[in-house]
Amino acid sequence: MAERAEVVFVDGVRTPFGRAGEKGMYWNTRADDLVVKAIIGLMERNPGVPGERVDDVAIAATTQTGDQGLTLGRTAALLAGLPKSVPGFAIDRMCAGAMTAVTMMGASIGFGAYDLAIAGGVEHMGRHPMGSGVDPNPRFMSERLVGEDALIMGATAERIHDRFPAYTKERSDRYALRSQQKVAAAYAAGNIQADLIPVATRSDSGWGLATQDEAPRPETTLEGLAALRTPFRAHGRITAGNASGLNDGASACILASGQTAKELGLGVKMTMVSFAFAGVEPEVMGLGPVPSTEKALRKAGLSITDIGLFELNEAFAVQVISFLDHFGIDDDDTRVNEYGGAIAIGHPLASSGVRLMNQLARQFESHPEVRYGLTSMCIGLGQGGTVIWENPHFNTKGASR
């Protein structure tokens, strides 16, 4: 059997992330138009990628209905102007939709079936709130297959606090504050804007242009966070301040075989090393990244000490803390979420996986001393996903990190 092909991350982009709801900047924007805009922007900044060479387009969404339905990969490809010969499909793994699109396209390239693919995701949580229109099978409750709050993400995060008393609300708030501060610093340094595709917006006051994320609150203070209410439980620990918000946004990236990238003269930002998904108890879904990371490390023949940069999706501060604590990493370790995370930027479910990859790819450029990095996230219904990447800019003469 032939050796698997090298899988490379050529480039990734996203729209600015908006706040979900009537006051959000994308309230009058269609969900499919967001991901179409991301794909158009991606192709425009990669003129060396011939549209007809794209083997497949995988686009994820959690709530696939209305303007966020209709086999998104195919419809978005057509709307973005890709040749009609390019196929596409839709995919769903809740929060890890885009991550799964990337791993499935990456696996297809590694297997040798594809040379070039587009993967991404979209979530318009304003038009399509999480869980809208679903009808959970009554057996989940009648046979006690899951706890009654397993489908309420904030409640599952409260259960992590219950299970680990050392993860206090103060610790979560402190982590959340740092996320806001790191995002503000990354914006000031121009590290985030480079991968954003501007989107035209429409509101009662007229037309506008979204050029940056709507959710960050750089003015956040520890005192302000401490005063926020706990909506999932009286005297609880989860607040709007130490959790990701409800957001709208889309992302897309180009993956290729190493040979195809070389043939077309494409830049390589990262190389895929391994990936893994794992299941945990749905009641504590935030713990999912621990077994998925252990599995991905095992498959790569690496240990956690080999990882020099971490991009962890901040669904909840306590969820990230549980990951760091398990692997013996400090809450404020500089290798973790250098540009901040979802607590400040937002988490439009199925699109977030590529955001993590965009940020890791940019950090790889400025950290030639780092050889390996990972992107990881928790997933609703009790799952975790992890992708390990290698830095093409790694300088063997530099100090390893």
Side-chain angles (χ1 to χ4, degrees), residues 183-218:
V183 167
Y187 259 105
N191 289 325
I192 291 177
Q193 300 92 314
D195 295 322
L196 299 183
I197 301 299
V199 177
T201 60
R202 186 164 49 87
S203 67
D204 293 341
S205 55
W207 289 93
L209 190 67
T211 58
Q212 62 182 53
D213 299 307
E214 194 176 19
R217 295 178 182 271

Side-chain angles (χ1 to χ4, degrees), residues 30-102:
R30 289 178 59 99
D32 50 9
D33 280 340
L34 287 175
V35 73
V36 166
K37 187 69 179 171
I39 294 172
I40 290 172
L42 180 67
M43 294 300 285
E44 281 179 350
R45 53 187 249 168
N46 289 278
V49 176
E52 67 276 5
R53 289 285 299 274
V54 176
D55 288 305
D56 214 346
V57 179
I59 299 297
T62 303
T63 307
Q64 296 189 18
T65 185
D67 59 328
Q68 203 163 267
L70 198 60
T71 315
L72 275 168
R74 176 60 172 166
T75 51
L78 291 171
L79 290 163
L82 287 169
K84 290 177 183 174
S85 57
V86 176
F89 68 105
I91 197 166
D92 170 28
R93 200 197 296 262
M94 297 187 86
C95 315
M99 176 178 279
T100 303
V102 166

Side-chain angles (χ1 to χ4, degrees), residues 266-332:
L266 306 177
V268 172
K269 292 189 171 183
M270 304 193 289
T271 301
M272 189 182 290
V273 177
S274 72
F275 67 86
F277 294 91
V280 295
E281 301 162 78
E283 296 82 3
V284 284
M285 65 94 199
L287 301 180
V290 169
S292 68
T293 297
E294 289 178 332
K295 195 172 174 182
L297 287 167
R298 200 161 55 242
K299 288 186 176 294
L302 299 172
S303 75
I304 198 71
T305 54
D306 292 311
I307 306 301
L309 288 165
F310 296 81
E311 270 296 321
L312 308 176
N313 192 48
E314 298 169 351
F316 301 93
V318 70
Q319 173 264 314
V320 179
I321 289 168
S322 70
F323 178 98
L324 299 177
D325 195 60
H326 176 86
F327 288 109
I329 301 167
D330 289 342
D331 291 3
D332 55 359

Side-chain angles (χ1 to χ4, degrees), residues 1-181:
M1 189 172 175
E3 218 176 285
R4 76 176 174 96
E6 182 182 52
V7 180
V8 300
F9 183 96
V10 173
D11 193 19
V13 300
R14 66 177 178 89
T15 68
F17 289 170
R19 286 185 185 145
E22 292 184 35
K23 294 181 181 176
M25 60 188 183
Y26 295 136
W27 179 246
N28 292 314
T29 305
R30 289 178 59 99
D32 50 9
D33 280 340
L34 287 175
V35 73
V36 166
K37 187 69 179 171
I39 294 172
I40 290 172
L42 180 67
M43 294 300 285
E44 281 179 350
R45 53 187 249 168
N46 289 278
V49 176
E52 67 276 5
R53 289 285 299 274
V54 176
D55 288 305
D56 214 346
V57 179
I59 299 297
T62 303
T63 307
Q64 296 189 18
T65 185
D67 59 328
Q68 203 163 267
L70 198 60
T71 315
L72 275 168
R74 176 60 172 166
T75 51
L78 291 171
L79 290 163
L82 287 169
K84 290 177 183 174
S85 57
V86 176
F89 68 105
I91 197 166
D92 170 28
R93 200 197 296 262
M94 297 187 86
C95 315
M99 176 178 279
T100 303
V102 166
T103 58
M104 292 303 96
M105 293 297 90
S108 300
I109 291 167
F111 180 73
Y114 294 170
D115 296 322
L116 201 59
I118 291 174
V122 60
E123 208 74 49
H124 199 306
M125 299 179 77
R127 285 172 174 249
H128 307 287
M130 183 166 53
S132 63
V134 300
D135 178 18
N137 194 299
R139 286 183 51 227
F140 280 120
M141 293 295 108
S142 64
E143 298 180 22
R144 297 185 179 178
L145 297 176
V146 299
E148 61 184 33
D149 55 7
L151 297 176
I152 303 167
M153 299 304 117
T156 69
E158 287 283 6
R159 282 175 178 259
I160 298 177
H161 275 292
D162 293 341
R163 190 173 288 196
F164 301 97
Y167 306 165
T168 61
K169 180 179 181 296
E170 292 72 23
R171 191 171 166 187
S172 281
D173 285 349
R174 201 170 291 279
Y175 181 91
L177 176 64
R178 278 197 301 273
S179 181
Q180 296 282 0
Q181 292 169 340

